[in-house]
Amino acid sequence: MSGRSLVYLHGVEIERVKGVGGRLGPKLREAGISSVGELLMHYPRRHVDRSLVVPISRVPPATEVTVVGVVRAITSRRPRRGLTIVEAQVVPDVDYEIRSAPEGVVAVPLDEASGMPVMTFASHREAASWIAAEVPGIAARTLGSLWVTFFNQAFRERQLPPGTEVALSGKAEHFRGRLQMKSPVVDVLGRAGHRRTGRIVPVYPSAAGIASWRLEEMIANALRRSRPLDDPVPEDVLSPLGLVSRDEAVSGYHFPDDERGRVEAHRRLVFDELFRLQVALALAKHRLVDESEGIAHTLDAGLADAFLEALPFALTRAQLRVIDDIRRDMASPHPMHRLLQGDVGSGKTVVAMAALLTGVQGGYQGAVMAPTEVLAEQHFLGLEPLVRRHAVRMALLTSSSPDRESTLERIRDGTVDIVVGTHALIQEGVRFRALGIAVIDEQHRFGVHQRVQLREQGDGPSPDLLIMTATPIPRTLSMTLYGDLDVSMLDEMPAERPDVTTEWVGADDLPRVYNRIREQAETPCGAAPGGRKAFVVCPLVTDSDKLEAASAIAEYERLQGVFADLRVGLIHGQMRADDKREAMAAFRGDRLDVLVATTVIEVGIDVPCSTVMLVEDADRFGLSQLHQLRGRLSRGVGPNWCYLLAEPTTAEAQARLAAMVATNDGFRLAEEDLRIRGQGTVFGERQAGSGDLRLADILRDATVLVAARRAAFSLVAADPDLAGHPGLREEVRVLLGDKVDWLFRS
Ligand code: ADP
Ligand code: MG
């Protein structure tokens, strides 16, 4: 190879860069930049194109603009206690300013230390042509000043000494004959007189307080020494996609010649981030599926078929297709590694049960894992009735199960067919006689390496794995978070479901909501005895089942007063499993009209006569959680109403509520959620994906993501050890770090 690779540069200490002496080295290291490679990956936050910025002399008032100029003077004063005003005069970035003076027209050097003379001319025109001839390339105009004011930002005086070149973004106003800008956004570009090339200036995110222009210098120095950069991505991947070389991309993104170059460079760097991740996922999938020994389950033993035939409804086409995918995987000698996606109510439970029984019918055991004990109980309550008539032995295992020891024993000796519990079920080495299939309810994220851990339990063949997402996730996100899995979609709802009208209400609307609940209780529910029913969901209390239960109890007591004429019940996570079951049975049968509940009702609760839901303090719930809750409605009769009681204080919460009102479509809500929260928050901490995406945005860059994925998977299919692509292999290993270590252990 001819040039330097990024991996090599990640091994070159930052102190080797020209200009990084003395105190800068430790500062950069503190900011996470300890090598030349990391410095080169400290990308500009944005670029300022000087040819597009508005000249100071022509700034329109009261409009958001960006101007570039040089600080001419800066002063600060304290008119009274608690108020510091810093005022800077900013002038256009030219070497001379032309002004009228008593002695005629003068050209005054802006950088007074430069030794250039003050010149006197007969006219402005004469002055301008002299400057143009004397200092080629510098436009001299008769120029105004912009007066910039900062309140209580004393540090500006140190940040912006005279001679500093700045980009200012804000609104200018004419005030007492001056053009003034109050508290603009400031980007320090550099030092005037420090002649720069190119008209597009990178603006760097501050690293440990180091100014953008100093980072720019260091990066320019580092680039000069490191180029040309090696390209680890094969030409036959790059050229069909029209991607520029690594070398062009890195230097062209820091220091673009023009906007087009900046866009091309950006596209390649985004591709690289996504491609590295997809190569890692492709390698993971290869290790987990193609190279692993699994169980070839039998499809003909009859139990799964008998179960499906006994269902009181016909399966949807989507369910049939997905069950088919699963059976094909399960019959193959490689372990299944599949993600099942479907909106609330799309019928995932039946599909999961078909998979479990496909294992059970051949003498294997199944496990269902939920992220919390409460959810595990809910799953158990939802699944168990489905197989009661098929002589399948099911057990619930939680840390608080009274019969825990005997259940463990039965799991060991094989007298339990399907066990439901939390992830601890297999992570803490509960011994199965023969675990054949695990279904994971992916309410919370379960990282790739956790899936690996799970696989590496025990030394027999790997069980099949079906991961279910209770809420849909945008396709681009699932390609990133679950890129090592095959995906099945339940994209068809079982039957027309009655409409749900969602309304965002305030405290003033409560009487109207309560009337709706009363009116529905008096409306017969079709064939079922009694009236229609309402859920009242109590405020979420983060991280405390106890406090959440307390608030539900208080609300239950209050609502018994409000609905003196109705039968009000209560369910929360701190109740004993028996009591919960009893509360649900009373609500489903005709012994309750209103059920006050915590989020324990989020999954698996199916009460056809429920037509109203009131979610209190709805702004405290996440979007996917609200969608799950609303999914408890519309289970049989209609119309249905979902009231979200909230007086949100943040823009984010308002956006969530507005999204809920706007659509019922889980996939649209999922995209909206990603947009509102940003991708940073949806990646698990330790998961590959989070810190590795600096420039890529999986929503905006969806097309690049799809291309990167396709390229990565076909490359790994042809070269599963990347033996023919050592540069790429090293780059994935080094840049993705310990998250992918396991991939490179033999
Ligand atoms: P999910 O878990 O995907 O939210 P469920 O599996 O709980 O959905 O199914 C929702 C409801 O639809 C349940 O009452 C279930 O019995 C019912 N159901 C599932 N599949 C069908 C079908 N093919 N036809 C009619 N009803 C169905
Ligand atoms: Mg379900």
Side-chain angles (χ1 to χ4, degrees):
M1 296 210 176
S2 54
R4 303 277 170 81
S5 70
L6 261 190
V7 169
Y8 169 81
L9 293 170
H10 269 72
V12 180
E13 312 242 334
I14 191 68
E15 286 77 8
R16 303 267 310 273
V17 176
K18 188 170 160 234
V20 185
R23 297 204 317 277
L24 276 185
K27 266 187 153 179
L28 285 164
R29 286 178 180 275
E30 186 191 316
I33 302 173
S34 56
S35 69
V36 174
E38 279 151 1
L39 182 65
L40 294 183
M41 289 173 75
H42 188 73
Y43 298 120
R45 174 160 56 80
R46 65 187 188 109
H47 293 83
V48 175
D49 185 339
R50 297 138 168 278
S51 66
L52 293 180
V53 300
V54 183
I56 287 179
S57 57
R58 268 182 273 136
V59 169
T63 315
E64 223 21 85
V65 289
T66 296
V67 298
V68 171
V70 176
V71 177
R72 174 91 178 286
I74 187 160
T75 56
S76 82
R77 60 201 161 90
R78 287 190 65 179
R80 57 180 164 80
R81 268 181 64 131
L83 178 65
T84 305
I85 296 178
V86 175
E87 193 171 50
Q89 182 190 10
V90 175
V91 297
D93 183 10
V94 294
D95 294 71
Y96 280 86
E97 182 185 6
I98 305 171
R99 334 187 180 117
S100 300
E103 64 271 31
V105 176
V106 292
V108 182
L110 289 174
D111 182 357
E112 312 208 350
S114 71
M116 291 192 218
V118 179
M119 303 289 292
T120 311
F121 300 93
S123 67
H124 280 87
R125 175 181 302 209
E126 199 181 297
S129 62
W130 176 81
I131 290 173
E134 198 71 10
V135 194
I138 301 292
R141 284 164 284 173
T142 309
L143 305 149
S145 297
L146 178 67
W147 298 85
V148 182
T149 315
F150 301 101
F151 302 96
N152 287 337
Q153 299 185 5
F155 70 95
R156 297 291 186 189
E157 207 180 351
R158 282 188 313 280
Q159 184 195 27
L160 306 171
T164 308
E165 190 184 16
V166 287
L168 304 166
S169 307
K171 278 184 195 166
E173 305 285 353
H174 288 288
F175 182 69
R176 294 193 183 148
R178 286 173 162 188
L179 187 63
Q180 195 182 57
M181 198 181 259
K182 285 184 194 153
S183 309
V185 174
V186 178
D187 288 313
V188 175
L189 300 182
R191 316 289 306 171
H194 188 99
R195 191 58 32 74
R196 50 190 59 256
T197 53
R199 60 184 171 81
I200 302 184
V201 184
V203 177
Y204 290 94
S206 155
I210 302 171
S212 177
W213 62 272
R214 300 202 73 166
L215 287 162
E216 182 185 337
E217 265 180 16
M218 288 184 247
I219 290 169
N221 287 338
L223 259 178
R224 214 167 294 129
R225 293 273 309 271
S226 315
R227 292 184 71 181
L229 296 173
D230 266 350
D231 206 326
V233 182
E235 191 51 42
D236 57 353
V237 169
L238 298 175
S239 56
L241 298 169
L243 291 165
V244 300
S245 72
R246 160 78 51 91
D247 185 62
E248 205 177 324
V250 174
S251 86
Y253 192 60
H254 286 288
F255 305 111
D257 289 329
D258 50 29
E259 176 59 11
R260 176 141 183 257
R262 189 193 66 78
V263 170
E264 292 291 302
H266 183 259
R267 189 161 157 263
R268 170 64 205 266
L269 296 179
V270 164
F271 176 86
D272 283 0
E273 291 180 355
L274 296 169
F275 185 66
R276 279 193 287 269
L277 202 54
Q278 293 298 326
V279 167
L281 289 164
L283 291 171
K285 178 160 185 206
H286 185 80
R287 283 285 285 267
L288 292 171
V289 179
D290 305 321
E291 275 184 1
S292 293
E293 185 201 348
I295 302 162
H297 290 278
T298 172
L299 299 183
D300 312 321
L303 178 60
D305 287 330
F307 162 73
L308 292 173
E309 274 153 29
L311 289 173
F313 44 73
L315 294 174
T316 63
R317 268 173 321 203
Q319 283 170 319
L320 288 170
R321 190 186 62 231
V322 172
I323 289 172
D324 220 53
D325 289 344
I326 290 172
R327 291 184 155 194
R328 197 169 346 98
D329 285 354
M330 289 186 70
S332 111
H334 298 294
M336 171 165 74
H337 205 57
R338 186 171 285 279
L339 176 71
L340 172 59
Q341 278 213 66
D343 204 347
V344 194
S346 59
K348 293 184 289 292
T349 314
V350 168
V351 173
M353 191 47 101
L356 290 163
L357 296 181
T358 301
V360 170
Q361 67 188 357
Y364 289 95
Q365 291 163 296
V368 179
M369 281 161 293
T372 66
E373 299 212 338
V374 173
L375 289 174
E377 283 172 23
Q378 294 304 309
H379 277 299
F380 183 76
L381 294 179
L383 288 163
E384 202 258 348
L386 291 177
V387 288
R388 214 172 274 156
R389 68 158 86 169
H390 297 283
V392 172
R393 299 159 298 182
M394 274 189 74
L396 173 67
L397 185 74
T398 66
S399 61
S400 54
S401 313
D403 46 359
R404 190 178 152 83
E405 281 310 311
S406 70
T407 305
L408 283 170
E409 179 54 37
R410 289 168 59 220
I411 294 170
R412 203 159 27 232
D413 69 19
T415 51
V416 163
D417 299 310
I418 298 174
V419 53
V420 183
T422 62
H423 289 149
L425 202 57
I426 48 177
Q427 283 167 337
E428 280 158 27
V430 175
R431 295 241 339 267
F432 283 83
R433 193 185 57 77
L435 182 62
I437 164 127
V439 174
I440 298 180
D441 171 13
E442 185 65 341
Q443 189 80 5
H444 300 297
R445 311 275 181 233
F446 201 54
V448 176
H449 67 289
Q450 283 163 297
R451 300 203 268 279
V452 174
Q453 225 174 34
L454 190 156
R455 265 298 152 65
E456 290 175 353
Q457 296 281 322
D459 30 35
S462 298
D464 286 304
L465 200 59
L466 181 67
I467 297 181
M468 296 202 294
T469 57
T471 28
I473 27 184
R475 197 168 74 102
T476 52
L477 184 57
S478 69
M479 277 181 191
T480 316
L481 282 178
Y482 303 102
D484 58 325
L485 300 168
D486 293 306
V487 178
S488 287
M489 296 266 277
L490 285 176
D491 49 9
E492 181 186 358
M493 285 293 170
E496 227 16 42
R497 290 176 66 182
D499 281 344
V500 182
T501 304
T502 301
E503 216 187 302
W504 168 7
V505 297
D508 293 350
D509 300 296
L510 276 179
R512 182 164 61 85
V513 174
Y514 292 155
N515 280 340
R516 172 77 68 198
I517 291 175
R518 257 185 223 104
E519 163 222 291
Q520 286 293 297
E522 285 156 16
T523 308
C525 177
R532 302 179 178 199
K533 305 177 195 317
F535 290 106
V536 175
V537 181
C538 288
L540 186 69
V541 181
T542 325
D543 293 334
S544 169
D545 287 347
K546 263 210 183 78
L547 287 178
E548 189 165 289
S551 91
I553 292 167
E555 185 62 0
Y556 163 68
E557 283 164 2
R558 196 183 69 80
L559 286 175
Q560 277 181 321
V562 173
F563 296 116
D565 45 338
L566 299 179
R567 297 159 302 173
V568 181
L570 172 68
I571 187 168
H572 61 74
Q574 295 277 297
M575 282 163 56
R576 290 171 7 143
D578 284 353
D579 295 339
K580 270 186 270 193
R581 211 166 305 158
E582 169 49 28
M584 280 316 303
F587 189 58
R588 190 176 289 115
D590 185 38
R591 285 177 282 134
L592 289 176
D593 303 298
V594 177
L595 185 63
V596 178
T598 58
T599 49
V600 298
I601 61 156
E602 205 177 310
V603 291
I605 301 288
D606 197 16
V607 180
C609 288
S610 54
T611 55
V612 187
M613 175 175 288
L614 167 62
V615 183
E616 299 184 348
D617 287 354
D619 52 326
R620 291 164 70 172
F621 294 87
L623 200 43
S624 72
Q625 212 169 14
L626 287 173
H627 182 60
Q628 283 295 317
L629 286 169
R630 181 170 58 186
R632 300 308 112 213
L633 290 179
S634 186
R635 294 276 165 165
V637 297
N640 289 254
W641 292 269
C642 177
Y643 298 104
L644 304 174
L645 173 64
E647 272 143 27
T649 50
T650 66
E652 230 191 271
Q654 287 171 356
R656 285 198 300 270
L657 292 160
M660 282 294 292
V661 172
T663 183
N664 236 323
D665 180 330
F667 281 92
R668 277 184 51 198
L669 284 172
E671 286 213 348
E672 198 50 38
D673 197 29
L674 186 54
R675 217 181 306 275
I676 295 171
R677 289 194 296 160
Q679 65 186 19
T681 53
V682 294
F683 287 107
E685 258 292 292
R686 283 153 34 88
Q687 200 137 302
S690 48
D692 312 311
L693 301 184
R694 296 171 180 221
L695 295 176
D697 176 315
I698 55 179
L699 275 182
R700 183 197 60 203
D701 301 319
T703 325
V704 182
L705 170 57
V706 172
R709 179 171 176 81
R710 195 171 302 135
F713 274 72
S714 73
L715 186 124
V716 169
D719 182 10
D721 301 319
L722 296 184
H725 302 88
L728 182 59
R729 184 179 191 278
E730 280 306 282
E731 188 166 303
V732 170
R733 195 178 62 77
V734 172
L735 295 195
L736 297 187
D738 52 8
K739 284 164 284 194
V740 295
D741 268 356
W742 67 276
L743 279 174
F744 300 96
R745 288 197 301 261
S746 45

